[in-house]
Amino acid sequence: MYVAIFFQDLPGTANKRQAVVSEHRKYMEANASKVLAAGATFTDDGKAVKGGSYVVQVADLEEARKFVDEDPFTKAGLRSVVFIQPWIRAVFDGKFNIPTDDSPLYADSVA
C-alpha cells in the first residue's frame, strides 16, 4: 500500500535537526527502495525548514509508523505533528494512473 506521511517540526529545533541530518540521510538512503518521494517543507520565505513529507510503499500502516519512528529526526525529538494516511498514486511521474479493477495498479491501491 502507498502511504503519505506529513510532519511538522517543533519550533526552535534547527540545531537538533542539523546535528542528526547526516544520520537521517543515511536512513533515507538505506530505505530508498520503499520511498516514492520525500523532502523537507519550508517556511513561506523559504529560509527555514519547518517539516516535510514522504510518500512510501509499505505493507500496512504499522510499517509506516515504524518507518517514521525509526527516522533519526523523530528519534531526536523534532516532530510536533505527524499525519500518516493511505495514499493512491492517481497521478505520478507525469502519468494519470486512476486504477480500475482490471488495472495492474489496482492491487497496490486503496481505491
Side-chain angles (χ1 to χ4, degrees):
M1 80 183 299
Y2 296 104
V3 177
I5 303 167
F6 304 96
F7 49 87
Q8 291 183 340
D9 290 349
L10 290 163
T13 56
N15 289 339
K16 277 186 177 181
R17 172 180 277 276
Q18 192 58 39
V20 296
V21 72
S22 179
E23 289 177 54
H24 166 75
R25 289 177 178 163
K26 288 176 186 176
Y27 178 76
M28 295 302 287
E29 182 178 15
N31 289 282
S33 64
K34 65 175 78 173
V35 180
L36 295 178
T41 57
F42 292 82
T43 54
D44 290 344
D45 63 8
K47 294 182 179 180
V49 175
K50 70 177 191 177
S53 61
Y54 307 147
V55 177
V56 297
Q57 187 172 15
V58 292
D60 51 35
L61 291 174
E62 184 177 324
E63 184 181 349
R65 171 50 65 188
K66 183 178 176 184
F67 182 80
V68 171
D69 289 347
E70 292 180 358
D71 185 330
F73 283 164
T74 304
K75 288 181 173 185
L78 296 179
R79 309 294 190 220
S80 67
V81 177
V82 177
F83 295 102
I84 299 174
Q85 54 197 69
W87 181 82
I88 188 168
R89 194 171 60 169
V91 179
F92 186 77
D93 200 22
K95 296 177 184 164
F96 187 66
N97 299 303
I98 296 293
T100 60
D101 58 2
D102 60 349
S103 167
L105 294 175
Y106 187 75
D108 291 329
S109 76
V110 293

